Structures are given as C-alpha cells and as structure tokens.
Amino acid sequence: MKQYQILSNGKKLPLIGFGTWHLTGNEGTEVIKNAIKMGFRVIDTAQAYENETEVGKAINECIKEGIVKREELFISSKINPHFPIGYDEAIKAVESTLKKMQLDYIDLYMIHWPNMVEDDSWKKLNADTWRGFEKMVEKGKLRQIGVSNFMIHHLEELLKTAKIKPVINQLNLNPTWQQKEVVAFCQHQGIVLQAWAPLIRVRKWNEKILTDVASKYDKSIQQICLRWSIQKGFLPLTKTHSIDRMRENLKIFDFEIQPKDMELLDNLNSHPWNHDSQPDCLYEIFKLREMISQKYTFSSGYFKFLGIKFLKVFPYPKGIKVKLLGIPFLKIKKSGKSKYKLYLFNFIKISSLHVSYKFSFTKQLPTYEEGAHV
C-alpha cells in the first residue's frame, strides 16, 4: 500500500509524520529519538516551539548512531509568527534554525501563520518573507518551502508574487474540522496538505460512530482518524510520548476504510459546529484576534471546569476585565496607542504591554459565547 506522497518538485514525502510541539529539554530529545527509531521519517518543528535545538540533537544523534541517514529524513520547521517578518528576517530565521539544529539544510521551511494584521500589510509581509525563503532555496539551505494555516485569500495573494509555489499547506484537519473549500483550492493548485491536528476527541455525540467504525476494522479510534486523513489526501502529523502509541500510529497501512464508513466520518464535520459555514477564516484559537483586527469584540468568554465557570473574560470601555470564580482578578486597561497596563485585582499595577494591533470595542457586535476547550 502506498506510503509516500510525491510533491510537485518530485520529492517523496512519507504519508505520516511526527510533530514535536511541547517536546523540550532532554526528555523531548529522547522522545524524538524514539520516534525516529520507531520509523518516523518526517519530523516537524517550528521556531515558536522553542525546541529546534532538541530536535536537531535527536536527529544528529540518530545519524551518528547509524539509526538513519540524513537523506532518509524529511525535516520541517517554520518562521516564528510572534516576531517581525520580512525578507531579511526570513533569511535570519533560516540561518538561526540551521544553527540550532546543526544541519546543512532543511527539507521544508514554512510561514507559520499568515500574519494577519488590521490592514492589508500582511500581503507584503508574506510576499517579502517568501522572497527570503526563495533566496535560501537558491543557496541550497532549503529544499522545499511551504505555508501553514493559510486560507484561500492568503494563498491567492502569495501566488501573485511567488516564483516558487508552496509545496505544502499545514492545516488543522480531522473528521470534525475538514476545511473543505481551502482543501479543494490547495488540491487544485497541487499543494499537498498536512494535517497538524488529525485526531479528534471522543464526545457523546461522536462516540458511537467512532467506536463502531474502529471495531469493524479492529483498529483504535486514533488509527481510524489517521487512516481517514490519508484517504482524504491529507498527511497526518502525530505527537505522543508513548512508544506503544508511536507503534500504533504507524500501523495504518494494512487496511482501508470503505466508502460507506468514510461517509459516516465525513458527516462528523457538521456537528456540533458547522466548520465550513465560514471556511475562509482562521480557526478557534485565532478567532478573538481576528475579531479584534476587524474591530469586532465579544460580549463574554469563559473557561468551564466541572460545570463551573471559573474564569470569565469580558470587555469594558477601556479594555478587558477577568474574573476568577466571580472575583475581580485582572484588568487590562488601554493607556495609549498600542499600549496597555495590567492591574491585579483591578487596582495593583503589575506590568505594561506594547502590542502591534489595537483593541477596538464597539457596541452591538456579534457575541462570542463559546466555552474554551482546555
């Protein structure tokens, strides 16, 4: 059964990869080494993960010990979305990654997020960053370049100036989050899709379907999700500390989900949220930032645990207030252009913030009333 995807430039890419988010320190290095020993050949990291050194150490130790050859690995990283980006910044980012990872080249380097800001400057930022990536391809420091979390309008703008088309777009993709329109756009453009969140949580509303399908094939729910991803044309990135789970995640090439069962899994996309009602937008975790950048706000947001709303966030005319178990805990107050002050218990000043975008709270705006998933 096919275990490789051919990229637009002819490079073979294994269908399943290993993600390294939150894998840091010596323990992180050992986990990554175990993943390579178990057979993972796609290793994905990012500057924002703050573990490129550990990832590089694991890779070089495995090479030194004769476990794997460098050319057998496909190593990817991403420019830090929290720092300024542009042509010079892109070149510095690649050089920094190579130095930290102690590698001569990176197989894939990506723009981590499309750098959404409150005006159209993201278009030039992405274009200039891409030019920097293309320069590093010319120098042989990068083999392929791609993007992560790019929606259709981001890709359309980038393709207007790009000399090298992105080979990959990493997206949050799983049976409950299918992003159908941007997926179709990428497939039409020949851009391969990697799924950075291929597994889904078992809930009351999806438990029976997932359990029934898994039982039918004598596989785990995790294996069913990964197999679904591959059959949809998405390359899943898995992450686990467990060697047994690594072994399990790799055992997805000895069966195929039948069309009727694929349809059952496809239908999970519409419940409990219709994720494709606004497919050309960013995801839950960036929803608030997007609303702020478009001068929207929310009426309230909360974290709920054991049925209790223990942390509530709500706006007031000059900023944001936070209540912990109903008690005023934190206040973020605007004190100037792009400048905010933090107050503990609403009156003890603890810090000041400088941000690159403005909060603009207005009246009669759409309500954001979703409990956070933690």
Side-chain angles (χ1 to χ4, degrees), residues 181-218:
E181 289 195 15
V182 66
V183 164
F185 180 87
C186 289
Q187 290 174 337
H188 178 73
Q189 291 289 335
I191 299 172
V192 171
L193 293 151
Q194 277 188 323
W196 59 252
L199 305 182
I200 63 177
R201 294 181 181 181
V202 178
R203 304 294 191 191
K204 289 182 179 179
W205 62 269
N206 64 22
E207 183 175 10
K208 187 179 188 309
I209 292 176
L210 293 171
T211 302
D212 288 349
V213 174
S215 297
K216 181 176 180 178
Y217 297 92
D218 193 24

Side-chain angles (χ1 to χ4, degrees), residues 280-319:
D280 204 21
C281 66
L282 295 180
Y283 319 106
E284 284 173 295
I285 57 176
F286 267 61
K287 187 181 295 181
L288 176 57
R289 179 177 173 183
E290 183 179 32
M291 291 167 74
I292 289 171
S293 72
Q294 294 177 355
K295 302 186 185 302
Y296 287 103
T297 187
F298 57 92
S299 62
S300 67
Y302 62 85
F303 288 88
K304 195 173 184 179
F305 182 67
L306 296 178
I308 301 173
K309 295 180 183 179
F310 71 93
L311 188 67
K312 184 175 182 180
V313 183
F314 57 95
Y316 78 108
K318 293 185 179 180

Side-chain angles (χ1 to χ4, degrees), residues 230-245:
I230 286 175
Q231 288 183 215
K232 297 295 287 188
F234 314 147
L235 282 57
L237 292 170
T238 66
K239 187 182 83 69
T240 177
H241 287 71
S242 167
I243 292 178
D244 289 338
R245 183 58 63 82

